[in-house]
Amino acid sequence: MNTTTTPSAPRRNSSGLGRDIEILELLGTDEALRSGGLGVSQVAQSTGRDKAVVSRTLATLAESGLVERDEDTLRYLLGPRLYALAAHTASTTLVHASRSILRRLVQSTRETSHLCVLRGGNVLTLLSELSPHDVRTTGWAGTTTAAWRTPSGRALLSDWDEESLARWYEDHGQDQPLVGRFDQADPSVFPVLDAPPPGNAPVTDLDSLLTELARIREQGYALSDEELEFGVVAASAPITDFTGRIVAAVNVSAPKARIGHRLDALGVFVSRAARELSSRLGATGA
């Protein structure tokens, strides 16, 4: 019986993959990002590997889109495919990790929690976890609301530049409170307000929006006091991903009678949950 086998093509072992990952991590350091990438010699020196081997490895990674080469500086940077993979992972991680954190928020505060994102210039609630109280605020999952009328919307806008905010406000600054369909279990308990009561609207024009967003950036959370729903207060905090960009907001809403006197404390608590979620998405310094 002939036991001769045809040699298979050599496979890259785990140590080879580990060396590639080492290069990718090196290109993702603050130093590499600040300097617009690293050259072959810098990578070789930092990794202690032969320059010719590093050059071939970077060329292979560039062919796959995991890194890219700046033709002017000849430096290598992390590539678009890597960012696309990371973004997909971040989105999956966001939804998965948020469920457990929203539940923990409900357990700790005994109030309803939400995960919100910006869609089409307004706020879409992706997930809600309901309070165990008989009298509780509504779950908003699947509902779109005007960003300027909610603390989550303002938290989501808080890293925008002034020019972008001006364009956004021109398009959305007068949007109705409910942009999408909303089935409220009992609208008589906490009715949605057509307009905030006098003194309860932190945003009335572009200047007040800019002032409010500066305050949110400084303290790390946004608040709402009977602004969207009668008798309801809320606190929201932004969630950032590995790029430092705000990608979502976590929110806790409650009857004012139960938690209105502790609203700032709620904001601090929610901001901690947002930082934990940010850390899971790869945010540095979260």
Side-chain angles (χ1 to χ4, degrees):
M1 181 176 178
N2 186 0
T3 59
T4 304
T5 57
T6 302
S8 60
R11 295 179 60 188
R12 305 185 69 183
N13 57 31
S14 59
S15 61
L17 176 61
R19 288 194 291 267
D20 291 352
I21 292 174
E22 182 184 17
I23 289 177
L24 293 174
E25 289 178 337
L26 184 63
L27 295 178
T29 60
D30 290 341
E31 177 188 356
L33 295 173
R34 281 195 304 266
S35 59
L38 299 174
V40 173
S41 297
Q42 291 172 289
V43 174
Q45 182 178 4
S46 297
T47 59
R49 296 170 61 187
D50 181 75
K51 183 177 176 181
V53 173
V54 168
S55 180
R56 289 195 296 270
T57 301
L58 285 168
T60 301
L61 292 172
E63 287 176 5
S64 68
L66 295 177
V67 305
E68 61 180 359
R69 188 189 191 206
D70 188 312
E71 296 302 325
D72 294 326
T73 65
L74 304 184
R75 294 180 176 185
Y76 284 89
L77 309 94
L78 295 178
R81 186 179 180 190
L82 186 65
Y83 281 110
L85 290 170
H88 179 73
T89 302
S91 298
T92 303
T93 302
L94 172 65
V95 174
H96 178 75
S98 295
R99 292 185 186 278
S100 61
I101 287 182
L102 292 183
R103 293 189 187 109
R104 278 166 41 199
L105 277 171
V106 172
Q107 291 170 358
S108 300
T109 66
R110 309 286 290 172
E111 302 298 349
T112 300
S113 63
H114 315 271
L115 176 72
C116 305
V117 294
L118 206 60
R119 291 289 185 272
N122 286 296
V123 177
L124 171 66
T125 301
L126 293 180
L127 302 170
S128 291
E129 289 287 336
L130 296 179
S131 162
H133 289 293
D134 291 334
V135 177
R136 62 194 180 193
T137 55
T138 304
W140 292 75
T143 302
T144 304
T145 54
W148 68 275
R149 284 284 300 273
T150 67
S152 293
R154 296 190 289 270
L156 287 163
L157 293 170
S158 61
D159 67 343
W160 286 33
D161 62 80
E162 190 168 329
E163 182 179 351
S164 298
L165 286 167
R167 290 197 300 268
W168 174 87
Y169 192 80
E170 184 176 355
D171 292 335
H172 298 287
Q174 302 302 320
D175 284 350
Q176 295 300 306
L178 295 182
V179 181
R181 184 170 173 268
F182 179 47
D183 294 322
Q184 193 172 23
D186 187 356
S188 65
V189 179
F190 301 114
V192 175
L193 300 168
D194 292 332
N200 285 35
V203 175
T204 56
D205 54 22
L206 179 58
D207 287 340
S208 59
L209 173 65
L210 297 176
T211 299
E212 176 66 9
L213 296 187
R215 187 185 63 80
I216 293 169
R217 287 191 291 270
E218 180 179 354
Q219 66 183 19
Y221 57 86
L223 301 177
S224 174
D225 184 355
E226 290 189 291
E227 185 181 353
L228 182 65
E229 297 172 277
F230 179 78
V232 172
V233 297
S236 300
I239 301 164
T240 57
D241 67 3
F242 63 99
T243 68
R245 182 174 58 94
I246 293 174
V247 294
V250 64
N251 173 284
V252 171
S253 61
K256 184 172 182 177
R258 270 205 303 264
I259 210 164
H261 62 293
R262 294 181 288 135
L263 195 50
D264 273 298
L266 180 64
V268 172
F269 193 77
V270 170
S271 68
R272 290 175 185 164
R275 287 197 298 272
E276 181 179 345
L277 265 171
S278 299
S279 180
R280 294 192 187 186
L281 297 182
T284 57

